[in-house]
Amino acid sequence: MKYMLLINSPATESDAETASFEEWVAYDKTVRESGVYVAGESLADLTTATTVRVNASGEPTVTDGPFAETREILGGFYVIDVPDLDVALDWAARCPGARGGGSVVVRPVAEFD
């Protein structure tokens, strides 16, 4: 079963004890070498985001950045293919992004036949 691990970091760096680059490299290597890796990317800085909303009449409104007040920012993701939720939760707990004020949201990937 495929699961997406959504990696959230605190909105301000002062709130976080960020993981080192080496920790991220080691985690990424472990995920890839284990055979569970499907996809994953780190996202560019939040200031590069653009939000699109479409009103009831179908007209889009495009704004720079996200329009949300939040204490966490989506920083990246992994999609993994594992036997069950327990294994996905184990991978999430090992993720450096789950420490230091961050979190990893685990969601099953919907499959449509």
Side-chain angles (χ1 to χ4, degrees), residues 58-112:
E59 297 174 37
T61 301
V62 178
T63 56
D64 289 337
F67 187 73
E69 291 187 33
T70 181
R71 294 179 188 208
E72 292 184 322
I73 298 169
L74 179 61
F77 69 92
Y78 281 93
V79 176
I80 58 175
D81 193 353
V82 295
D84 56 42
L85 178 60
D86 289 336
V87 177
L89 294 174
D90 180 61
W91 279 105
R94 291 192 264 170
C95 180
R99 298 190 303 269
S103 67
V104 177
V105 176
V106 178
R107 294 193 52 189
V109 174
E111 295 183 25
F112 301 99

Side-chain angles (χ1 to χ4, degrees), residues 5 19 23 27 29 38-39 41 45 49 53-54 56-57 60 75-76 78-79 82 85 88-89 99 104:
L5 309 182
E23 289 175 294
Y27 180 76
K29 181 179 178 187
V38 175
E41 295 293 338
D45 188 86
R53 287 186 170 76
V54 178
S57 63
Y78 281 93
V79 176
V82 295
L85 178 60
L89 294 174
R99 298 190 303 269
V104 177

Side-chain angles (χ1 to χ4, degrees), residues 6-77:
L6 299 158
I7 304 163
N8 295 297
S9 59
T12 60
E13 288 190 28
S14 63
D15 294 341
E17 298 174 21
T18 57
S20 69
F21 178 76
E22 292 78 18
E23 289 175 294
W24 279 106
V25 169
Y27 180 76
D28 189 71
K29 181 179 178 187
T30 302
V31 170
R32 290 172 187 267
E33 290 179 350
S34 72
V36 302
Y37 178 84
V38 175
E41 295 293 338
S42 178
L43 300 176
D45 188 86
L46 186 61
T47 60
T48 66
T50 303
T51 300
V52 177
R53 287 186 170 76
V54 178
N55 66 21
S57 63
E59 297 174 37
T61 301
V62 178
T63 56
D64 289 337
F67 187 73
E69 291 187 33
T70 181
R71 294 179 188 208
E72 292 184 322
I73 298 169
L74 179 61
F77 69 92

